[in-house]
Amino acid sequence: MKTKILFFLLTCVSLNTFAQSEIPVEKYTAHNKGKFFVSWGGNRDSYTKSDVNFRGKDYNFSVADISAHDKPKGYHIDYVNPANMTIPQTNFRMGYFINDHYSVAIGWDHMKYVMTQNQIANVTGYINLPADQPGSYYNGTYNNTPVDMSQNGAIEGGYDKGVAQGNPPAFLMYEHTDGLNYINTEVSRHDDISKWFGLPNIDKVQINLTEGIGGGVLYPKTNTTLLGMERHDDFHISGFGVSAKAGLNFTFFKHFYLQGELKGGYIDMKDIRTTISNDDKATQHFLFFQRIIAVGGIFRI
């Protein structure tokens, strides 16, 4: 009898062990709900041509089809140097997965926008500055008139010295270089496509496809030298933007990822500060396109 009981117990233990060995262990990366993520990266930017309207007490004119470019820093230690990491063109994002496929995030896209110098642009409007101001050199009425945007006042010794010696100031130098700051919220979808590549263990390497839409405000620090007047040079909420993106996410060892994105959108700034006078404003709208590479972490708290 004892032998039969012992045999029965051993059989039960063996069956239970076998059953447990057959139960698959769920991968950590199989579900995203409840996870937080944060990322930091860099970008390259392209912009469409745009018209910019400048207005103040003594002038109101538009410059047509301004060309602009970004201001890349290349591979540089400043991207990871805490003292200087906000200087290059950078992207910060922090978010939360509300379910396995959708996340909500807030972020800061630090782009740079530089009007191309030495271009000829058509100007329409009027300038009637007081005669004692250097910019009065450009007084007159303009009707789709070609104007040289080169730095006319910048001779050997510097721009200010050139103006002081009687050379006309540059008609316009115009940048959002500290920067074209797009502070935004995004809603994104994420799909694991690891099986497309036959990856055997997604807890070691996982590939995700992500798409999203977003919107937010523009908070640039605009560097403008307009008709020789003193620039404003401070941060200011200037307008809004909307955007859409798509990218690939490569997650390694559950918690670390590398993400590449293509992101495009529309920016409309109706309240750009240009000089120290509150009367002086500019308006502008254009399309932008970013190429982003970022590194990040994903975790549960």
Side-chain angles (χ1 to χ4, degrees), residues 1-15:
M1 183 66 180
K2 290 182 178 179
T3 303
K4 291 182 178 180
I5 293 174
L6 180 60
F7 178 77
F8 175 76
L9 291 175
L10 289 173
T11 302
C12 289
V13 171
S14 299
L15 289 173

Side-chain angles (χ1 to χ4, degrees), residues 61-289:
F61 63 88
S62 294
V63 183
D65 288 337
I66 282 181
S67 297
H69 56 271
D70 64 350
K71 191 176 182 180
K73 200 159 189 176
Y75 297 101
H76 203 282
I77 190 64
D78 281 352
Y79 282 99
V80 292
N81 181 352
N84 297 324
M85 62 194 312
T86 60
I87 295 176
Q89 298 176 177
T90 50
N91 298 75
F92 170 78
R93 193 149 305 280
M94 179 172 59
Y96 175 76
F97 280 93
I98 57 177
N99 61 37
D100 284 347
H101 290 288
Y102 286 93
S103 69
V104 177
I106 57 174
W108 168 43
D109 295 8
H110 179 70
M111 299 177 279
K112 293 182 184 289
Y113 178 103
V114 182
M115 185 192 81
T116 303
Q117 284 293 320
N118 302 316
Q119 65 176 293
I120 305 295
N122 291 339
V123 176
T124 299
Y126 72 89
I127 301 170
N128 188 27
L129 296 175
D132 60 346
Q133 292 191 19
S136 62
Y137 173 86
Y138 296 103
N139 281 356
T141 300
Y142 297 79
N143 185 12
N144 214 30
T145 306
V147 176
D148 186 356
M149 298 290 152
S150 61
Q151 299 180 27
N152 296 329
I155 63 168
E156 185 176 354
Y159 176 84
D160 292 335
K161 183 178 179 180
V163 173
Q165 292 178 351
N167 294 289
F171 186 87
L172 174 66
M173 291 183 288
Y174 182 68
E175 304 178 354
H176 310 292
T177 48
D178 198 23
L180 185 65
N181 298 307
Y182 176 40
I183 302 169
N184 58 91
T185 300
E186 287 184 346
V187 177
S188 300
R189 179 178 172 88
H190 308 259
D191 292 284
D192 181 3
I193 58 172
S194 303
K195 61 184 179 182
W196 295 2
F197 303 92
L199 297 178
N201 186 349
I202 59 174
D203 272 0
K204 289 185 177 179
V205 180
Q206 183 187 42
I207 302 178
N208 298 284
L209 181 65
T210 180
E211 317 90 29
I213 57 173
V217 299
L218 272 297
Y219 189 54
K221 185 176 183 181
T222 303
N223 178 1
T224 302
T225 302
L226 174 64
L227 303 174
M229 293 183 280
E230 186 175 349
R231 63 183 183 171
H232 176 251
D233 198 26
D234 203 356
F235 293 103
H236 179 69
I237 295 177
S238 300
F240 72 92
V242 292
S243 56
K245 69 174 187 178
L248 284 175
N249 170 288
F250 300 85
T251 300
F252 304 96
F253 304 108
K254 304 179 184 180
H255 301 292
F256 309 100
Y257 66 83
L258 174 69
Q259 186 158 310
E261 292 180 350
L262 298 177
K263 184 173 183 177
Y266 170 78
I267 285 173
D268 190 345
M269 294 189 289
K270 296 187 181 299
D271 189 21
I272 303 168
R273 291 294 305 271
T274 54
T275 77
I276 59 172
S277 172
N278 290 328
D279 293 329
D280 296 334
K281 301 288 174 84
T283 61
Q284 179 184 25
H285 59 87
F286 54 88
L287 301 176
F288 72 92
F289 181 65

